[in-house]
């Protein structure tokens, strides 16, 4: 049976066009972009073209783009690099990805005070609460753009306006880039993390956008590349692949978004009718109040069904999905995101994340919903 892949927040398949864009830089044009000779200069040109294209799509300047191995590294680079020496105060949302939450935990163990901003039942940070939590010694605020478990879009611009430059602001935009339009300077953040493999680019590359003039302490030393912010030979082919994937995503943004919305509506409608009762965790997309969530992420609970059993049986039935972030899967710990939202135990313990891609067809999504309905019913009636 063909597997229907609904775990696109974990990773996505590479687009053939992206692979084609990368191939020459792994074979013929293989030079080290730091080399002075013609072979190196060719590689350098491709790298800098990629940097410029990425910057242009994201409302940044080319020199503000630092290539990293992915968003985990970009988040670590920003958090450790912006906050200086302890003591000091850090603020974050309680729904950050582990690649933000864990560095923050380490910084707090190293002498920083850490406070968490509250989120509401839809998983949205309440921007005005920032003022109540800010302290004179606040160094850094970290709030993500789109949540990896619920898709909830956080009010970054109101938060940076409220902060008014009193501390640095880092934004993990990994689940938003390539899915919705994002403009680095308009968000008003100092740093922003992204990762290519979340939008049909290659694994092993991401970027940290660093606002011009903001000081960042490196995490690694030993080379002059990327102004010393992230030394090491740049992976030209991966950077070209990132730029190509972003280019495709931005060119097709409206069509992709409309298609994914349609997939989501069909999927939810089928579950609501045939797998009731279900609970949608995250922003209520029926409210006509603008975009509150990324339509690609669907977090649904099936009360009465244990999420670990559901996951296992859906795998057997040919549906790949997840109970939360891939980085914490296998742990079977309750989702900290749903916990912070105040989701009741019975609902939280039956929550499943289905994450969509524009490559899915309506037929795929209908077939996936059919398989899910079948498994949910059999689990509810103890038939498996
Ligand atoms: N942040 C978020 C919100 C994510 O969803 C992920 C991927 N699970 C990451 C960071 C880490 O990205 P990467 O795999 O590129 O390290």
């Amino acid at each position: 049976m063909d597997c229907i892949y609904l775990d696109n927040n974990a990773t996505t398949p590479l687009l053939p066009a992206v692979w084609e864009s990368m191939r020459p830089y792994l074979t013929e044009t293989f030079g080290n972009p730091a080399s002075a000779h013609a072979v190196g200069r060719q590689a350098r040109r491709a790298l800098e073209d990629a940097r410029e294209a990425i910057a242009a799509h994201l409302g940044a300047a080319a020199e503000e783009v630092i290539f990293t191995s992915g968003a985990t590294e970009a988040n670590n680079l920003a958090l450790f690099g912006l906050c200086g020496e302890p003591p000091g105060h850090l603020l974050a949302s309680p729904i950050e990805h582990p690649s933000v939450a864990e560095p923050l935990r380490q910084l707090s163990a190293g002498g920083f005070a850490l406070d968490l901003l509250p989120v509401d039942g839809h998983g949205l940070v309440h921007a005005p609460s920032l003022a109540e939590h800010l302290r004179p010694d606040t160094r850094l605020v970290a709030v993500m753009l789109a949540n990896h478990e619920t898709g909830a879009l956080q009010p970054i611009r109101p938060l940076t306006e409220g902060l008014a430059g009193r501390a640095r602001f880092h934004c993990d935009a990994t689940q938003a880039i390539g899915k919705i339009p994002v403009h680095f300077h308009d968000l008003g953040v100092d740093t922003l993390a992204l990762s290519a493999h979340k939008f049909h680019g290659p694994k092993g590359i991401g970027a940290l956008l660093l606002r011009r003039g903001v000081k960042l302490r490196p995490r690694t030393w030993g080379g002059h590349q990327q102004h010393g912010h992230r030394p090491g030979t740049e992976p030209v082919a991966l950077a070209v692949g990132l730029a190509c994937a972003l280019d495709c995503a931005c060119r097709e943004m409206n069509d992709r978004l409309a298609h994914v919305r349609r997939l989501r509506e069909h999927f939810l409608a089928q579950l609501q009718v045939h797998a009731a009762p279900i609970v949608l965790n995250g922003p209520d997309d029926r409210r006509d109040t603008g975009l509150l969530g990324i339509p690609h992420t669907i977090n649904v609970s099936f009360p009465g069904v244990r999420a670990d059993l559901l996951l296992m049986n859906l795998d057997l039935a040919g549906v790949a999905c997840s109970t939360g972030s891939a980085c914490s899967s296998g742990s079977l710990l309750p989702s900290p995101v749903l916990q912070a939202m105040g989701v009741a135990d019975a609902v939280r313990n039956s929550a499943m994340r289905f994450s969509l891609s524009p490559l899915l067809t309506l037929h795929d999504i209908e077939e996936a919903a059919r398989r899910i309905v079948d498994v949910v019913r059999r689990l509810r009636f103890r038939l498996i």
Side-chain angles (χ1 to χ4, degrees):
M1 183 195 325
D2 280 351
C3 173
I4 303 173
Y5 184 77
L6 302 186
D7 201 12
N8 289 279
N9 281 13
T11 196
T12 58
L14 196 75
L15 285 179
V18 176
W19 168 238
E20 283 311 317
S21 75
M22 294 167 60
R23 205 189 42 76
Y25 299 99
L26 293 163
T27 49
E28 303 102 63
T29 313
F30 61 87
N32 185 325
S35 298
H37 47 62
V39 182
R41 288 201 309 274
Q42 266 184 320
R44 161 71 48 198
R45 198 166 314 124
L47 181 72
E48 296 314 326
D49 285 352
R51 205 191 297 275
E52 262 176 42
I54 293 161
H57 281 305
L58 300 178
E63 75 262 26
E64 294 176 316
V65 179
I66 303 169
F67 289 115
T68 62
S69 61
T72 298
E73 185 191 342
N75 284 330
N76 275 266
L77 182 57
L79 296 166
F80 286 103
L82 288 176
C83 64
E85 294 299 319
H89 178 235
L90 311 174
L91 268 175
S93 87
I95 55 164
E96 296 298 310
H97 185 266
S99 62
V100 169
E102 182 57 26
L104 288 172
R105 204 192 58 73
Q106 291 201 17
L107 285 163
S108 111
F112 283 96
L114 173 64
D115 280 322
L116 299 177
L117 297 165
V119 292
D120 66 16
H122 297 291
L124 297 163
V125 170
H126 182 55
S129 70
L130 178 71
E132 295 154 32
H133 290 82
L134 266 182
R135 299 188 346 193
D137 64 339
T138 304
R139 297 269 181 83
L140 178 69
V141 180
V143 179
M144 71 197 328
L145 183 49
N147 185 260
H148 48 296
E149 291 193 31
T150 65
L153 275 168
Q154 303 306 324
I156 302 301
R157 180 75 207 181
L159 285 166
T160 56
E161 275 171 359
L163 189 60
R166 280 177 281 176
R168 294 299 180 208
F169 196 108
H170 172 64
C171 180
D172 175 6
T174 307
Q175 292 294 353
I177 300 281
K179 295 176 186 162
I180 57 164
V182 174
H183 193 288
F184 178 53
H185 289 159
D186 282 358
L187 285 177
V189 302
D190 293 296
T191 49
L192 180 143
L194 63 117
S195 181
H197 73 98
K198 304 294 186 182
F199 52 94
H200 306 284
K203 292 174 189 56
I205 185 134
L208 182 70
L209 305 188
L210 172 68
R211 193 163 60 78
R212 194 183 282 135
V214 174
K215 282 214 164 25
L216 182 84
R217 190 177 140 82
R219 292 286 285 160
T220 44
W221 286 267
H224 57 271
Q225 293 96 335
Q226 308 205 77
H227 307 292
H229 286 130
R230 204 280 196 170
T233 302
E234 299 95 335
V236 178
L238 293 175
V240 168
L242 165 50
C244 180
L246 188 59
D247 197 43
C248 295
C250 291
R251 264 188 292 117
E252 298 168 11
M253 185 78 72
N254 290 341
D255 290 346
R256 286 189 185 188
L257 258 176
H259 179 59
V260 170
R261 276 209 191 94
R262 230 176 359 254
L263 296 177
R264 177 190 178 93
E265 280 163 20
H266 273 262
F267 184 71
L268 278 175
Q270 262 183 271
L271 295 188
Q272 266 148 0
V273 173
H274 301 293
I278 64 164
V279 180
L280 182 63
N281 301 307
D284 181 353
D285 49 3
R286 283 161 305 183
R287 278 191 301 177
D288 194 20
T289 46
L291 190 60
L292 292 176
I294 297 268
H296 305 62
T297 309
I298 306 175
N299 194 309
V300 192
S301 289
F302 302 89
V305 178
R306 262 177 48 196
D308 54 343
L309 287 181
L310 184 54
L311 186 73
M312 212 166 63
N313 282 285
L314 285 178
D315 188 30
L316 292 173
V319 178
C321 56
S322 144
T323 52
S325 131
C327 304
S328 52
S329 66
S331 68
L332 292 185
L333 289 172
S335 152
V337 173
L338 300 187
Q339 213 160 10
M341 288 161 59
V343 174
D345 283 358
V347 176
R348 204 172 64 218
N349 295 338
S350 65
M352 199 59 54
R353 182 188 73 181
F354 304 100
S355 44
L356 311 184
S357 136
L359 300 184
L360 289 162
T361 64
L362 213 49
H363 175 266
D364 293 332
I365 216 70
E366 281 170 358
E367 175 58 21
R370 202 190 56 70
R371 293 180 193 178
I372 295 163
V373 166
D374 180 56
V375 169
V376 167
R377 282 188 177 164
R378 285 193 290 135
L379 283 171
R380 280 210 176 114
F381 295 113
R382 307 264 189 274
L383 298 176
I384 38 178

